[in-house]
Amino acid sequence: LPSRLAAGATGDGRASAAVVQQQQGGAGGKQEPLDLQPPRGTRDFYPDDFRLRTYLFSTFRRVASSFNFEEYDAPVLESEQLYIRKAAEEKPSV
């Protein structure tokens, strides 16, 4: 295997959390507790809420489609650098 694959890196040069933990001595060294909270601005949908969300989204899609709207999807999370750049571009000049 190429060294980057053997090290657990993905095609874009990032490594999985397990590989990073292993490289930082996670197996035998002191481990930091895992942060299991969802990323800021996101949430988990449990079954009852997910059923309601699915129903609402299906209704939105059906109604929008009847008016010839096309669906568009984008990543929920963006890199911090892209977000900062976008915010700077939208900042009004004084």
Side-chain angles (χ1 to χ4, degrees):
L1 287 176
S3 62
R4 67 182 173 84
L5 293 177
T10 61
D12 58 4
R14 294 180 289 175
S16 73
V19 170
V20 171
Q21 183 181 23
Q22 195 173 45
Q23 290 172 347
Q24 294 174 347
K30 183 178 179 183
Q31 293 184 13
E32 294 287 325
L34 291 176
D35 180 8
L36 300 177
Q37 297 298 313
R40 188 173 172 190
T42 66
R43 60 172 282 203
D44 293 333
F45 286 91
Y46 294 100
D48 288 340
D49 291 335
F50 191 73
R51 276 189 285 280
L52 176 61
R53 176 183 176 262
T54 301
Y55 166 75
L56 291 172
F57 279 32
S58 296
T59 302
F60 296 157
R61 284 186 179 98
R62 185 173 30 82
V63 171
S65 178
S66 72
F67 288 94
N68 294 319
F69 281 88
E70 294 181 22
E71 188 169 355
Y72 169 79
D73 194 15
V76 175
L77 302 174
E78 294 180 341
S79 72
E80 182 180 10
Q81 295 299 346
L82 180 59
Y83 183 75
I84 290 170
R85 188 178 79 202
K86 284 181 176 179
E89 290 173 359
E90 293 174 4
K91 187 176 180 181
S93 300
V94 179

